[in-house]
Amino acid sequence: IVVDGFTSKNAVATTFDTLIATFAEFGLTNELDKLRDFYDSIRQRAEAATTDEARQNLLVTLYDNFFQKALPKKSSSLGIVYTPIEVVDFILNSVEWALRTNFGRGLTDKNVHILDPFAGTGSFLVRLIHSGLIAKKDLKRKYGANGAPLELHANEILLLAYYIATINVERAYALAVGQSAPFEGTVLTDTFNLNEDD
């Protein structure tokens, strides 16, 4: 899933494109041919996912399986675990309820900043955008479109997850408002170490 212009505007995407082009010079395309059946299987599953929730579930499952199989030590050391979509929705609605009940404000209100400290594939922000908890009239402001200071933030430590999360949030936003815009709120960082002196 690629949002209009993402690969030409995002620094990580342009680096990936350059890397893929460089690898192609050394025969990587021959190695990719061996994976064609796997890619075809994923493509078929993606085409069968017709709702946003189904697409998010597919993406989370594929991403989780990738890390469990390809990088089991990294997955274990970083505690890579993906939250089921139903739990994401429950958490978002619970936060909205707690904000309204205790502070008289909600996720849609101005100056209420939302941070996903471990974004993974961006499920929390994507589900938030689709949930209606942010009023459509407020979404451009929260997103940081048209020069507004953004109020949606996501941190991720893994480069691939950062890349996927950014694409997912941009796609969700484009579907919600009918126009694409780059998402500047994803930061490639270790949330646990943000307050370290060094």
Side-chain angles (χ1 to χ4, degrees), residues 45 59-71 82:
R45 288 177 65 188
L59 183 61
V60 167
T61 301
L62 288 172
Y63 194 76
D64 190 35
N65 287 342
F66 167 77
F67 270 101
Q68 295 298 327
K69 302 243 187 310
L71 303 166
Y82 289 90

Side-chain angles (χ1 to χ4, degrees), residues 119-131:
T121 59
S123 296
F124 273 88
L125 290 183
V126 169
R127 296 301 295 166
L128 176 63
I129 290 169
H130 289 305
S131 71

